[in-house]
Amino acid sequence: MKKLFLALMVLLNTFVFASDINIWKNSTLNKILERGELRVGLDPGYMPFEMKDKKGRIIGYDVDMASKMAKEMGVKLTIIPTSFDGIIGGLLSEKFDIIISGMTITQQRNLKVNFANPYVVIGQTILVDKDVAKNIKSYKDLDNEKYIISTRTGVTGEIVARKFFKKAKIITFETEADCVSEVLNGKAHAFIYDQPYNVLFMSDKGKDRLVHLDTPLTYEPLGFAIRKGDPDFLNWLNNFMRQIKEDKLLDFHQKLYEKWLVDTEWLKRVQ
């Protein structure tokens, strides 16, 4: 009886080991290492996370983050530009290995993909026409039929706009530039979008023309998105983030934050 029990235990351990090996073989991380290439999906229209410079090269916070990730893996980096409204579909159809595109972690998105631990936390804020702002004490005052609010199609800003503003007219566009241009051109009264973008816009084109309601309406952690059923890749990403955040000797995470979200020197490369 004891021999039978031992035999069953050996057989069970063999099955478990084989199962673990199969999980690793099918892991995206394993395929990246075998291929020698990390393929990153992003939408190069979200300053300062990903955008094109004057020479057409894609630069930004997320590009530097992806470069660091590829370096730690010992592989080359390939950026695959993808429209944001189709970026999850691109990931699920294996057009790329990971989404690093300023994507907010939401429960709805989490039903389709898995997220690593957040790498930045932001929130939605509002840019208001300077003349309109004279009558606005808080965001609640904008929820009026006489106001038009612009935001980008398919992003958190649109979700927030439709949730917080039931009376105001909501209009959407494919790019942030088109959205905020509506306000600058007097065709809309306010623009809702991510805080980093709005801060940077106010330091340049928005100065003396718009007012920034800078108290975030939301808590929005940004995370790397990967396909479900891949514990090895998720484990690596979480440890990667923990290391770059806690390593104060290299201080990569803080330097990256200051380079793209505090300093505005990079604006000269895109304007």
Side-chain angles (χ1 to χ4, degrees):
M1 188 66 180
K2 183 181 292 186
K3 290 182 178 180
L4 178 60
F5 176 76
L6 291 174
L8 288 173
M9 288 300 296
V10 170
L11 185 61
L12 178 61
N13 288 333
T14 301
F15 283 143
V16 171
F17 178 75
S19 178
D20 288 344
I21 290 298
N22 286 331
I23 290 174
W24 168 242
K25 286 182 177 179
N26 291 324
S27 171
T28 299
L29 180 57
N30 182 43
K31 293 175 182 178
I32 291 168
L33 298 178
E34 290 182 340
R35 190 192 311 126
E37 176 189 31
L38 171 64
R39 302 172 305 168
V40 173
L42 56 75
D43 181 0
Y46 177 28
M47 295 194 296
F49 289 92
E50 42 268 329
M51 60 219 158
K52 291 185 179 180
D53 66 9
K54 294 176 181 178
K55 296 182 179 180
R57 296 172 299 193
I58 300 175
I59 62 171
Y61 187 107
D62 284 340
V63 177
D64 284 1
M65 181 68 79
S67 296
K68 175 68 170 176
M69 188 180 294
K71 181 179 179 180
E72 295 301 326
M73 290 179 178
V75 301
K76 72 175 184 177
L77 172 66
T78 297
I79 299 294
I80 301 177
T82 306
S83 174
F84 199 82
D85 59 3
I87 202 165
I88 288 181
L91 175 68
L92 298 181
S93 60
E94 301 190 20
K95 292 181 179 178
F96 34 85
D97 306 308
I98 187 172
I99 296 172
I100 306 179
S101 191
M103 179 171 281
T104 305
I105 299 172
T106 69
Q107 276 61 58
Q108 291 72 29
R109 288 172 179 159
N110 211 172
L111 294 173
K112 299 178 181 178
V113 299
N114 278 354
F115 287 100
N117 293 335
Y119 62 96
V120 175
V121 175
I122 62 170
Q124 297 296 303
T125 59
I126 309 174
L127 300 183
V128 184
D129 177 89
K130 189 175 182 179
D131 292 331
V132 173
K134 296 175 182 177
N135 302 314
I136 302 298
K137 294 182 179 179
S138 80
Y139 73 90
K140 295 179 181 179
D141 296 326
L142 283 169
D143 193 19
N144 189 300
E145 294 177 354
K146 66 181 180 180
Y147 292 130
I148 299 173
I149 299 174
S150 69
T151 189
R152 187 178 174 187
T153 303
V155 301
T156 310
E158 181 179 6
I159 297 172
V160 170
R162 299 194 185 282
K163 179 178 180 179
F164 282 82
F165 303 97
K166 302 295 185 181
K167 298 177 183 178
K169 181 180 179 180
I170 309 299
I171 56 175
T172 63
F173 298 89
E174 291 298 321
T175 68
E176 300 88 345
D178 288 339
C179 293
V180 75
S181 290
E182 289 293 293
V183 183
L184 293 176
N185 295 331
K187 297 180 180 180
H189 302 99
F191 166 59
I192 296 180
Y193 205 60
D194 296 342
Q195 185 179 29
Y197 180 92
N198 288 345
V199 169
L200 291 166
F201 195 87
M202 286 300 295
S203 71
D204 185 36
K205 295 180 180 179
K207 190 182 300 181
D208 301 324
R209 301 184 66 185
L210 304 175
V211 172
H212 189 193
L213 302 184
D214 58 0
T215 300
L217 301 177
T218 57
Y219 164 80
E220 297 178 41
L222 307 185
F224 311 134
I226 64 172
R227 290 181 288 275
K228 287 187 172 295
D230 198 342
D232 288 302
F233 197 16
L234 190 62
N235 173 266
W236 191 93
L237 291 171
N238 285 337
N239 283 321
F240 167 77
M241 279 310 307
R242 186 178 299 110
Q243 181 67 31
I244 66 171
K245 282 184 175 181
E246 298 300 327
D247 186 347
K248 302 307 179 184
L249 181 62
L250 295 177
D251 214 16
F252 174 83
H253 192 260
Q254 184 61 31
K255 289 177 181 177
L256 193 63
Y257 184 89
E258 292 176 359
K259 176 182 177 181
W260 295 106
L261 300 176
V262 178
D263 189 4
T264 57
E265 185 67 21
W266 57 266
L267 282 169
K268 297 177 182 178
R269 300 171 62 184
V270 299
Q271 295 175 348

